[in-house]
Amino acid sequence: MADDTYSPNAQGSDIGWADTVRFRLPAGWAVDVEEHEGQPVGTFRPPPPAVGVLRLVTDRVTPRPESGGTAATLQEMALRFVRPQDQRAGDRTVESRADGAVIAQAMMRTEEDGRAETHYLWLVGAERPNNADSAAGSVAAVAMFSFALPDLMDGDESCAEMLGRIDDAIRNAEIL
């Protein structure tokens, strides 16, 4: 479940989610929780007049015995996340951070409830001890972020600046 830590200060807000990820958003973002298919989804909205919504879900995946281990499972998750077969997706990257975490990123143009939207997607994942079963070794702990923006605003200078701050926050997220 969510541990919705929210500590506002002048530099931003520290967010902790589901004992899996910790990151810092710029000051003034509204924090809420939605439910999607029975799973809590963190939602974060920038202060007006900015538009868009950042959503966050997390998961901990125990590798299957035939998967090649946690690192291979994490790499497979990152590659699937960027949707190589989906023609709506573009700007796909999969990178490794110096601390061993994996970052996958993509952009997708879609239609939601009749509105054209651009979704910026990030997956940040790392190998972590299996806290539920220490004898089971490690798990792939992942945080999946999606920032939905009205398509008309994509490319707007203020939105580009905000996306830069979001990207920085996600790239520096700590996987717990």
Side-chain angles (χ1 to χ4, degrees):
M1 246 342 148
D3 70 351
D4 319 322
T5 305
Y6 180 71
S7 306
N9 62 41
Q11 291 78 35
S13 302
D14 291 328
I15 309 291
W17 187 258
D19 295 329
T20 300
V21 65
R22 188 175 18 246
F23 62 104
R24 178 179 287 276
L25 280 178
W29 284 58
V31 178
D32 202 359
V33 179
E34 297 174 352
E35 192 171 302
H36 183 69
E37 297 178 0
Q39 183 174 356
V41 176
T43 60
F44 311 93
R45 296 179 193 280
V51 297
V53 61
L54 179 66
R55 289 185 173 86
L56 166 64
V57 296
T58 60
D59 201 3
R60 290 185 176 282
V61 177
T62 302
R64 296 179 317 274
E66 70 280 0
S67 70
T70 305
T73 297
L74 192 56
Q75 190 68 21
E76 179 187 335
M77 291 175 75
L79 291 173
R80 276 187 293 145
F81 183 80
V82 296
R83 304 173 186 232
Q85 309 308 325
D86 193 332
Q87 295 187 4
R88 299 172 300 160
D91 296 336
R92 300 173 179 98
T93 61
V94 176
E95 308 167 25
S96 295
R97 284 194 322 204
D99 66 358
V102 172
I103 298 176
Q105 187 174 0
M107 183 272 297
M108 179 177 290
R109 298 201 189 280
T110 186
E111 197 168 296
E112 300 288 327
D113 300 323
R115 295 180 319 270
E117 291 185 343
T118 302
H119 290 241
Y120 292 88
L121 309 167
W122 297 263
L123 174 144
V124 181
E127 186 172 341
R128 293 294 181 254
N130 187 343
N131 296 332
D133 181 4
S134 58
S138 61
V139 297
V142 296
M144 294 161 281
F145 297 87
S146 170
F147 186 70
L149 184 65
D151 204 44
L152 308 159
M153 298 300 292
D154 188 38
D156 178 85
E157 188 175 317
S158 66
C159 289
E161 181 183 325
M162 180 175 50
L163 275 167
R165 289 192 310 263
I166 294 169
D167 183 67
D168 187 52
I170 293 169
R171 287 181 171 281
N172 289 300
E174 178 186 5
I175 300 297
L176 308 174

